[in-house]
Amino acid sequence: TLHGKLHEAVFWLLTGLGALAACAYLWMFPPDTTRFGPVCAFYKFTGLYCPGCGSTRALYHLLHGNVAKAFRYNPFFVFFAPWLVWQYAAWGLQLIGVRSVPAFRPRSAWPLYALAIALTIFFVARNLPWRPFNMLAPADPEDIGYSPPVSILKTIARPSGL
């Protein structure tokens, strides 16, 4: 219906404006130098990096054109961000009637299962304390602004007294 399309278009516009405002803020204020911004509650309470840890700093560096540094903070996000932008653009173009824009619309749940498996593997791997896995952790965890509790995995990997 026309009414439903109008609501969807307003929602599309508001989400875009919100994302642009967040990117503008992030462009002006580096997350490493300000205390105002998201703090990962999962990391704060467990000492483990969630799949999203480092995404804010990665986005900051992407916005400034430093892909290598963004990749060092969160490689999964660096690969996923262009897809998110494409999906958002395709959604907007379809709202104005452009039907030939390819957008990812899974016909089954398997692509979502694959994404969930990839995120789980990434989550586990970036919390392993050995090379090369520990290189998946955000570059500078101290930049988050607090000391996390000692991770269970890190305690097992490096027992005291050795």
Side-chain angles (χ1 to χ4, degrees):
T1 68
L2 182 60
H3 187 61
K5 282 287 188 191
L6 181 61
H7 280 152
E8 187 177 0
V10 168
F11 182 72
W12 180 86
L13 183 63
L14 291 176
T15 55
L17 290 174
L20 282 175
C23 286
Y25 176 83
L26 199 55
W27 174 270
M28 294 183 292
F29 303 104
D32 296 343
T33 62
T34 180
R35 305 285 276 158
F36 183 75
V39 174
C40 180
F42 186 80
Y43 178 77
K44 185 175 180 178
F45 292 116
T46 67
L48 298 173
Y49 301 111
C50 77
C53 279
S55 294
T56 304
R57 289 173 284 160
L59 179 57
Y60 171 81
H61 291 293
L62 282 177
L63 290 171
H64 287 270
N66 192 340
V67 177
K69 197 158 186 179
F71 189 84
R72 185 63 186 97
Y73 281 107
N74 192 319
F76 202 91
F77 178 79
V78 172
F79 286 120
F80 199 61
W83 180 80
L84 287 174
V85 171
W86 177 256
Q87 287 295 105
Y88 184 78
W91 178 29
L93 289 171
Q94 289 174 355
L95 282 173
I96 62 170
V98 179
R99 298 285 176 222
S100 61
V101 179
F104 178 69
R105 303 272 192 280
R107 305 219 186 286
S108 72
W110 286 109
L112 299 177
Y113 294 149
L115 178 62
I117 290 168
L119 279 171
T120 302
I121 291 169
F122 179 63
F123 166 68
V124 171
R126 76 187 322 209
N127 284 292
L128 294 174
W130 311 286
R131 282 191 166 262
F133 306 109
N134 62 356
M135 294 174 70
L136 295 171
D140 301 315
E142 293 80 28
D143 289 344
I144 295 171
Y146 53 81
S147 300
V150 177
S151 166
I152 294 170
L153 288 175
K154 293 174 185 171
T155 303
I156 292 170
R158 286 182 256 145
S160 61
L162 292 180

